[in-house]
Amino acid sequence: MYNRAFLFNGIGSKPEKLLAQFTPELMDRYETYREEAFARLGLDMDMDKNTGHSEKAAEWMVPFLCDRVVYEYFIGKGIIPDIGAGYSSGIVSASACFGSIRHEDAHDIVMSHLSMFRGLQEKGFKLDMGIIIGFNYDELKELLCDKFTSDELVIGSGNSDFHVMISGKAEAVEKAIALCLSEGAIKAFTMNTGTAFHHPLMEQFSTEYISLCNRLDYKEPEYPLISVFDQTVLKTVDEVRKENLLNVFTPMRWDLALKKLEELGVKEFFDVSANGAIKKFSRVSRKCKIYTLEDVIGGRYTL
């Protein structure tokens, strides 16, 4: 039923890394979209002149703009998705690219995240996220389950059989990192995010985000999405809206979403991030392949 899936990454990569693969033509399109978005949102085109929350918003906006550029480039090359999946805020990006919401709506959702940081600062919460390389979801769950309460720490996402994201109170994240390294993790590090996306405690700081998602005029997506929360196929307005509403405070299973896509028949996965970030932490079986922007530009993928 499905052969080709587009995969959208979340916020995380630095702007300079995202833009490294862009050709002059793609860079021109990116700058056009950035000028439009930054003007509407009151952000300075000179990234260094944005300070405080505006600095974070400007940086977070870049991957959304890049996703749009890469998505349109793939479509222009005749690479059309049968289905898609979004990792974390990639859910919002996928919703916009697949026509379920406007790109301007996706940008407004990004801006609503800033209220979370204000709330966390006011409450004095010290949160963080971390990456563990060398354990799968079940192994890490067994290692951490009796050492931390769910209030302190959760597995925010099982990414693949070797890559897991944790989320929670900063002190707990640091302790978990140290424990994993002592237990043989290949690599483990904190992300220094100042927040704990995909931890249930974020729901109390997500009122502005939730309100906005409920107000937006969603449409049925041009192509279905696979849920990273329960691995169901999303085709309706209500289903896509729910996926967005769950996003900030609900743990994900990216690994299971990719497995489900393979079960549905997907053989070709396309990483819509500008720097191939999705491919780095994802795994598919040997009968499938994940292609990146670099692969398409370099001619390593042809229809």
Side-chain angles (χ1 to χ4, degrees):
M1 184 177 181
Y2 305 105
N3 178 64
R4 182 181 294 141
F6 277 17
L7 307 178
F8 296 79
N9 193 29
I11 295 168
S13 299
K14 294 296 183 182
E16 59 272 15
K17 292 184 178 180
L18 285 168
L19 300 173
Q21 298 298 329
F22 276 5
T23 63
E25 180 184 356
L26 296 182
M27 184 62 76
D28 285 346
R29 181 173 293 193
Y30 163 77
E31 288 294 353
T32 296
Y33 290 153
R34 187 166 78 99
E35 185 173 354
E36 292 171 354
F38 278 35
R40 190 176 73 85
L41 298 170
L43 300 173
D44 200 298
M45 285 289 287
D46 184 342
M47 299 288 279
D48 293 333
K49 291 183 179 179
N50 292 296
T51 59
H53 292 310
S54 293
E55 179 182 11
K56 190 176 294 292
E59 184 173 309
W60 280 2
M61 202 63 62
V62 174
F64 283 81
L65 300 170
C66 287
D67 282 359
R68 181 180 181 182
V69 171
V70 176
Y71 175 80
E72 292 176 351
Y73 175 75
F74 285 166
I75 296 294
K77 290 292 183 179
I79 304 170
I80 310 299
D82 299 306
I83 194 169
Y87 182 92
S88 191
S89 60
I91 294 168
V92 183
S93 191
S95 298
C97 287
F98 282 12
S100 191
I101 57 175
R102 302 177 309 152
H103 288 285
E104 292 84 354
D105 296 331
H107 302 161
D108 289 341
I109 288 175
V110 174
M111 296 299 287
S112 76
H113 286 353
L114 300 182
S115 68
M116 301 175 196
F117 279 91
R118 288 191 289 269
L120 290 168
Q121 289 176 351
E122 290 170 2
K123 294 285 187 179
F125 276 47
K126 298 189 181 300
L127 307 178
D128 205 350
M129 300 163 69
I131 296 296
I132 313 296
I133 301 174
F135 290 103
N136 63 32
Y137 180 93
D138 291 332
E139 291 168 340
L140 193 61
K141 182 178 179 180
E142 182 179 359
L143 177 61
L144 301 179
C145 67
D146 62 348
K147 299 176 180 65
F148 301 93
T149 66
S150 58
D151 182 59
E152 293 174 316
L153 189 77
V154 300
I155 298 178
S157 179
N159 292 335
S160 66
D161 56 7
F162 70 95
H163 197 287
V164 182
M165 182 269 284
I166 58 175
S167 183
K169 296 181 178 177
E171 184 178 1
V173 171
E174 290 182 4
K175 289 180 179 179
I177 294 292
L179 174 63
C180 290
L181 288 171
S182 71
E183 291 294 325
I186 297 170
K187 190 175 182 179
F189 54 91
T190 58
M191 298 174 69
N192 296 317
T193 58
T195 188
F197 288 123
H198 305 292
H199 190 297
L201 65 81
M202 289 300 296
E203 185 171 7
Q204 63 183 293
F205 299 102
S206 302
T207 53
E208 184 176 323
Y209 168 84
I210 292 170
S211 176
L212 176 58
C213 286
N214 276 320
R215 292 197 313 270
L216 289 179
D217 180 22
Y218 279 79
K219 296 178 173 60
E220 289 187 3
E222 294 176 28
Y223 314 102
L225 291 163
I226 195 79
S227 173
V228 295
F229 304 116
D230 63 12
Q231 294 75 61
T232 58
V233 177
L234 314 174
K235 297 181 178 180
T236 70
V237 168
D238 289 341
E239 289 168 344
V240 176
R241 186 192 301 275
K242 181 181 178 182
E243 186 81 353
N244 279 270
L245 284 168
L246 290 174
N247 193 13
V248 171
F249 52 86
T250 308
M252 304 179 294
R253 288 301 301 267
W254 180 252
D255 51 349
L256 297 184
L258 295 188
K259 182 178 179 181
K260 182 64 177 181
L261 286 171
E262 286 197 50
E263 292 173 359
L264 292 171
V266 173
K267 297 293 189 298
E268 296 179 348
F269 294 83
F270 283 81
D271 183 343
V272 182
S273 71
N275 64 338
I278 284 279
K279 184 175 182 178
K280 295 172 185 175
F281 63 75
S282 304
R283 283 295 180 270
V284 293
S285 67
R286 292 187 180 276
K287 64 183 179 181
C288 305
K289 187 167 183 180
I290 302 177
Y291 296 96
T292 65
L293 173 64
E294 187 177 9
D295 290 327
V296 178
I297 290 177
R300 289 183 290 277
Y301 176 84
T302 55
L303 287 170

